[in-house]
PDB file of all heavy atoms in Angstrom:
ATOM      1  N   PRO A 771     130.791  63.774 153.598  1.00 90.00           N
ATOM      2  CA  PRO A 771     130.354  64.660 154.709  1.00 90.00           C
ATOM      3  C   PRO A 771     131.470  64.691 155.796  1.00 90.00           C
ATOM      4  O   PRO A 771     132.278  63.760 155.958  1.00 90.00           O
ATOM      5  CB  PRO A 771     129.053  63.960 155.160  1.00 90.00           C
ATOM      6  CG  PRO A 771     128.617  63.143 153.998  1.00 90.00           C
ATOM      7  CD  PRO A 771     129.866  62.736 153.322  1.00 90.00           C
ATOM      8  N   ARG A 772     131.348  65.735 156.588  1.00 90.00           N
ATOM      9  CA  ARG A 772     132.349  65.963 157.661  1.00 90.00           C
ATOM     10  C   ARG A 772     132.336  64.780 158.629  1.00 90.00           C
ATOM     11  O   ARG A 772     133.421  64.289 159.079  1.00 90.00           O
ATOM     12  CB  ARG A 772     132.119  67.241 158.408  1.00 90.00           C
ATOM     13  CG  ARG A 772     133.021  67.445 159.623  1.00 90.00           C
ATOM     14  CD  ARG A 772     132.579  68.656 160.428  1.00 90.00           C
ATOM     15  NE  ARG A 772     132.533  69.862 159.535  1.00 90.00           N
ATOM     16  CZ  ARG A 772     131.995  71.032 159.874  1.00 90.00           C
ATOM     17  NH1 ARG A 772     131.284  71.087 160.965  1.00 90.00           N
ATOM     18  NH2 ARG A 772     132.021  72.005 159.079  1.00 90.00           N
ATOM     19  N   ARG A 773     131.200  64.341 158.955  1.00 91.00           N
ATOM     20  CA  ARG A 773     131.031  63.287 159.972  1.00 91.00           C
ATOM     21  C   ARG A 773     131.744  61.966 159.486  1.00 91.00           C
ATOM     22  O   ARG A 773     132.503  61.371 160.209  1.00 91.00           O
ATOM     23  CB  ARG A 773     129.570  62.968 160.317  1.00 91.00           C
ATOM     24  CG  ARG A 773     129.387  61.850 161.295  1.00 91.00           C
ATOM     25  CD  ARG A 773     127.874  61.598 161.505  1.00 91.00           C
ATOM     26  NE  ARG A 773     127.198  62.760 161.921  1.00 91.00           N
ATOM     27  CZ  ARG A 773     127.027  63.099 163.213  1.00 91.00           C
ATOM     28  NH1 ARG A 773     127.604  62.316 164.192  1.00 91.00           N
ATOM     29  NH2 ARG A 773     126.409  64.118 163.604  1.00 91.00           N
ATOM     30  N   LYS A 774     131.555  61.666 158.300  1.00 93.00           N
ATOM     31  CA  LYS A 774     132.177  60.495 157.713  1.00 93.00           C
ATOM     32  C   LYS A 774     133.742  60.682 157.557  1.00 93.00           C
ATOM     33  O   LYS A 774     134.546  59.846 157.908  1.00 93.00           O
ATOM     34  CB  LYS A 774     131.618  60.177 156.264  1.00 93.00           C
ATOM     35  CG  LYS A 774     132.366  59.036 155.604  1.00 93.00           C
ATOM     36  CD  LYS A 774     131.836  58.866 154.122  1.00 93.00           C
ATOM     37  CE  LYS A 774     132.466  57.803 153.396  1.00 93.00           C
ATOM     38  NZ  LYS A 774     131.948  57.572 152.052  1.00 93.00           N
ATOM     39  N   LEU A 775     134.202  61.842 157.141  1.00 95.00           N
ATOM     40  CA  LEU A 775     135.551  62.154 156.947  1.00 95.00           C
ATOM     41  C   LEU A 775     136.293  62.168 158.389  1.00 95.00           C
ATOM     42  O   LEU A 775     137.349  61.517 158.477  1.00 95.00           O
ATOM     43  CB  LEU A 775     135.742  63.631 156.383  1.00 95.00           C
ATOM     44  CG  LEU A 775     137.182  64.143 156.169  1.00 95.00           C
ATOM     45  CD1 LEU A 775     137.933  63.263 155.138  1.00 95.00           C
ATOM     46  CD2 LEU A 775     137.117  65.623 155.831  1.00 95.00           C
ATOM     47  N   TRP A 776     135.698  62.762 159.433  1.00 95.00           N
ATOM     48  CA  TRP A 776     136.378  62.765 160.698  1.00 95.00           C
ATOM     49  C   TRP A 776     136.396  61.357 161.295  1.00 95.00           C
ATOM     50  O   TRP A 776     137.408  61.012 161.973  1.00 95.00           O
ATOM     51  CB  TRP A 776     135.651  63.758 161.596  1.00 95.00           C
ATOM     52  CG  TRP A 776     135.967  65.184 161.236  1.00 95.00           C
ATOM     53  CD1 TRP A 776     136.576  65.555 160.127  1.00 95.00           C
ATOM     54  CD2 TRP A 776     135.509  66.369 161.984  1.00 95.00           C
ATOM     55  NE1 TRP A 776     136.745  66.956 160.050  1.00 95.00           N
ATOM     56  CE2 TRP A 776     136.095  67.493 161.226  1.00 95.00           C
ATOM     57  CE3 TRP A 776     134.870  66.608 163.173  1.00 95.00           C
ATOM     58  CZ2 TRP A 776     135.913  68.855 161.704  1.00 95.00           C
ATOM     59  CZ3 TRP A 776     134.748  67.879 163.557  1.00 95.00           C
ATOM     60  CH2 TRP A 776     135.205  69.048 162.857  1.00 95.00           C
ATOM     61  N   ALA A 777     135.287  60.637 161.078  1.00 94.00           N
ATOM     62  CA  ALA A 777     135.272  59.235 161.659  1.00 94.00           C
ATOM     63  C   ALA A 777     136.345  58.440 161.031  1.00 94.00           C
ATOM     64  O   ALA A 777     137.060  57.633 161.682  1.00 94.00           O
ATOM     65  CB  ALA A 777     133.905  58.645 161.403  1.00 94.00           C
ATOM     66  N   GLU A 778     136.645  58.653 159.715  1.00 94.00           N
ATOM     67  CA  GLU A 778     137.611  57.909 159.013  1.00 94.00           C
ATOM     68  C   GLU A 778     139.104  58.268 159.584  1.00 94.00           C
ATOM     69  O   GLU A 778     139.864  57.388 159.860  1.00 94.00           O
ATOM     70  CB  GLU A 778     137.588  58.203 157.555  1.00 94.00           C
ATOM     71  CG  GLU A 778     138.393  57.293 156.710  1.00 94.00           C
ATOM     72  CD  GLU A 778     138.081  57.541 155.135  1.00 94.00           C
ATOM     73  OE1 GLU A 778     137.711  58.647 154.919  1.00 94.00           O
ATOM     74  OE2 GLU A 778     138.445  56.601 154.418  1.00 94.00           O
ATOM     75  N   ILE A 779     139.336  59.533 159.781  1.00 96.00           N
ATOM     76  CA  ILE A 779     140.614  60.000 160.377  1.00 96.00           C
ATOM     77  C   ILE A 779     140.778  59.613 161.741  1.00 96.00           C
ATOM     78  O   ILE A 779     141.909  59.269 162.183  1.00 96.00           O
ATOM     79  CB  ILE A 779     140.791  61.508 160.150  1.00 96.00           C
ATOM     80  CG1 ILE A 779     140.719  61.932 158.684  1.00 96.00           C
ATOM     81  CG2 ILE A 779     142.063  62.010 160.792  1.00 96.00           C
ATOM     82  CD1 ILE A 779     140.730  63.401 158.391  1.00 96.00           C
ATOM     83  N   GLY A 780     139.630  59.465 162.520  1.00 95.00           N
ATOM     84  CA  GLY A 780     139.668  59.038 163.902  1.00 95.00           C
ATOM     85  C   GLY A 780     140.100  57.592 163.886  1.00 95.00           C
ATOM     86  O   GLY A 780     140.884  57.151 164.858  1.00 95.00           O
ATOM     87  N   GLU A 781     139.657  56.766 162.999  1.00 94.00           N
ATOM     88  CA  GLU A 781     140.060  55.294 162.881  1.00 94.00           C
ATOM     89  C   GLU A 781     141.593  55.219 162.611  1.00 94.00           C
ATOM     90  O   GLU A 781     142.241  54.363 163.128  1.00 94.00           O
ATOM     91  CB  GLU A 781     139.264  54.631 161.797  1.00 94.00           C
ATOM     92  CG  GLU A 781     137.770  54.473 162.214  1.00 94.00           C
ATOM     93  CD  GLU A 781     137.077  53.800 161.058  1.00 94.00           C
ATOM     94  OE1 GLU A 781     137.628  53.518 159.967  1.00 94.00           O
ATOM     95  OE2 GLU A 781     135.787  53.692 161.131  1.00 94.00           O
ATOM     96  N   TRP A 782     142.080  56.110 161.730  1.00 94.00           N
ATOM     97  CA  TRP A 782     143.489  56.079 161.457  1.00 94.00           C
ATOM     98  C   TRP A 782     144.346  56.403 162.740  1.00 94.00           C
ATOM     99  O   TRP A 782     145.339  55.783 162.962  1.00 94.00           O
ATOM    100  CB  TRP A 782     143.891  57.087 160.366  1.00 94.00           C
ATOM    101  CG  TRP A 782     143.245  56.981 159.113  1.00 94.00           C
ATOM    102  CD1 TRP A 782     142.404  55.906 158.643  1.00 94.00           C
ATOM    103  CD2 TRP A 782     143.199  57.983 158.060  1.00 94.00           C
ATOM    104  NE1 TRP A 782     141.964  56.215 157.376  1.00 94.00           N
ATOM    105  CE2 TRP A 782     142.387  57.375 157.023  1.00 94.00           C
ATOM    106  CE3 TRP A 782     143.682  59.199 157.873  1.00 94.00           C
ATOM    107  CZ2 TRP A 782     142.157  58.084 155.815  1.00 94.00           C
ATOM    108  CZ3 TRP A 782     143.471  59.907 156.680  1.00 94.00           C
ATOM    109  CH2 TRP A 782     142.689  59.389 155.654  1.00 94.00           C
ATOM    110  N   PHE A 783     143.805  57.390 163.492  1.00 94.00           N
ATOM    111  CA  PHE A 783     144.443  57.713 164.667  1.00 94.00           C
ATOM    112  C   PHE A 783     144.602  56.622 165.702  1.00 94.00           C
ATOM    113  O   PHE A 783     145.507  56.278 166.235  1.00 94.00           O
ATOM    114  CB  PHE A 783     143.721  58.939 165.343  1.00 94.00           C
ATOM    115  CG  PHE A 783     144.322  59.330 166.627  1.00 94.00           C
ATOM    116  CD1 PHE A 783     145.594  59.552 166.888  1.00 94.00           C
ATOM    117  CD2 PHE A 783     143.463  59.608 167.683  1.00 94.00           C
ATOM    118  CE1 PHE A 783     146.159  59.876 168.110  1.00 94.00           C
ATOM    119  CE2 PHE A 783     143.918  60.087 168.939  1.00 94.00           C
ATOM    120  CZ  PHE A 783     145.280  60.222 169.171  1.00 94.00           C
ATOM    121  N   ARG A 784     143.386  55.933 165.788  1.00 92.00           N
ATOM    122  CA  ARG A 784     143.287  54.747 166.757  1.00 92.00           C
ATOM    123  C   ARG A 784     144.188  53.658 166.243  1.00 92.00           C
ATOM    124  O   ARG A 784     145.014  53.043 167.029  1.00 92.00           O
ATOM    125  CB  ARG A 784     141.870  54.192 166.719  1.00 92.00           C
ATOM    126  CG  ARG A 784     141.664  52.938 167.613  1.00 92.00           C
ATOM    127  CD  ARG A 784     140.305  52.312 167.199  1.00 92.00           C
ATOM    128  NE  ARG A 784     140.419  51.818 165.870  1.00 92.00           N
ATOM    129  CZ  ARG A 784     139.341  51.560 165.026  1.00 92.00           C
ATOM    130  NH1 ARG A 784     138.115  51.854 165.535  1.00 92.00           N
ATOM    131  NH2 ARG A 784     139.535  51.152 163.829  1.00 92.00           N
ATOM    132  N   ASP A 785     144.339  53.354 164.866  1.00 91.00           N
ATOM    133  CA  ASP A 785     145.136  52.262 164.326  1.00 91.00           C
ATOM    134  C   ASP A 785     146.556  52.684 164.564  1.00 91.00           C
ATOM    135  O   ASP A 785     147.477  51.812 164.863  1.00 91.00           O
ATOM    136  CB  ASP A 785     144.787  52.051 162.905  1.00 91.00           C
ATOM    137  CG  ASP A 785     143.451  51.401 162.683  1.00 91.00           C
ATOM    138  OD1 ASP A 785     142.846  50.941 163.696  1.00 91.00           O
ATOM    139  OD2 ASP A 785     142.972  51.404 161.551  1.00 91.00           O
TER     140      ASP A 785
END
Side-chain angles (χ1 to χ4, degrees):
R772 177 187 304 165
R773 182 182 298 277
K774 177 183 177 181
L775 178 65
W776 287 8
E778 193 174 20
I779 298 176
E781 291 176 1
W782 302 348
F783 177 46
R784 180 198 63 205
D785 292 346

